[in-house]
Amino acid sequence: MARVFVYGTLKKGQPNYKHMINTAKGLAKFQGRGRTVEKYPLVIAGKYNIPYMLNIPGTGHHVSGEIYSVDEQMLQFLDEFEGCPDMYQRTLMRIQVVEWEEKGGAGEARAAADGVLECFVYSTATYPPEWVGLPYHDSYDSSGKHGLSYVLRESR
């Protein structure tokens, strides 16, 4: 099992969460909530209003999201879904645990130095330079105050 941190449309209540609970694509077990230890720019960009975490450590905000434990099949699905490695790149990032779901699993989160876990995150280093000038967010909600409605793949 691998740990994945999701910050955008794959979170609970967001347009692509359905993929995280579709066992035909593999297993994904919600473990808790977290935020990036380092700051990153989270922008909403492109004609489909997609959330992107730009791989520029030290700039932006501590980005909030959810931590999942996924099997190899789900990890392969996520790589495909995220257009890895062209659109997004899957990299290891340090994630500060904010809230741990499993009562018995809290020890695992505490066992990590200062409640910090290494998780795979889909961020991007392949983006148009003007994206750096877009507003930075600390969390993503497809129906947030930003007013930029996410366009589902089926509707593109």
Side-chain angles (χ1 to χ4, degrees):
M1 300 291 275
R3 270 208 194 91
V4 175
F5 175 77
V6 297
Y7 56 84
T9 65
L10 291 167
K11 296 187 308 184
K12 289 180 181 182
Q14 296 303 308
N16 289 317
Y17 176 66
K18 61 188 179 224
H19 299 301
M20 299 299 283
I21 55 174
N22 182 348
T23 54
K25 297 179 191 308
L27 299 176
K29 183 176 184 339
F30 176 77
Q31 298 219 278
R33 301 186 195 294
R35 63 187 198 123
T36 58
V37 169
E38 290 193 76
K39 292 179 177 181
Y40 290 92
L42 171 58
V43 300
I44 302 168
K47 62 182 176 180
Y48 303 121
N49 296 320
I50 297 171
Y52 293 92
M53 185 188 302
L54 308 183
N55 199 346
I56 310 172
T59 302
H61 302 288
H62 299 283
V63 177
S64 297
E66 298 173 348
I67 302 164
Y68 288 83
S69 184
V70 302
D71 67 3
E72 189 59 36
Q73 184 185 349
M74 178 58 79
L75 196 59
Q76 285 180 357
F77 166 77
L78 290 172
D79 279 355
E80 248 177 71
F81 183 79
E82 299 290 12
C84 188
D86 302 324
M87 190 161 134
Y88 292 93
Q89 297 79 49
R90 175 166 44 100
T91 57
L92 278 173
M93 285 187 191
R94 291 166 12 100
I95 304 299
Q96 175 76 47
V97 175
V98 174
E99 179 185 321
W100 200 247
E101 180 78 358
E102 296 178 20
K103 301 298 175 241
E108 185 182 359
R110 275 193 222 107
D114 302 325
V116 173
L117 300 172
E118 285 223 315
C119 299
F120 284 122
V121 179
Y122 292 92
S123 64
T124 186
T126 53
Y127 53 86
E130 60 270 18
W131 286 10
V132 176
L134 294 172
Y136 297 164
H137 305 272
D138 60 359
S139 65
Y140 175 79
D141 183 337
S142 61
S143 55
K145 285 183 272 180
H146 50 73
L148 302 167
S149 296
Y150 174 77
V151 178
L152 286 167
R153 283 182 187 200
E154 306 87 76
S155 306
R156 295 178 193 169

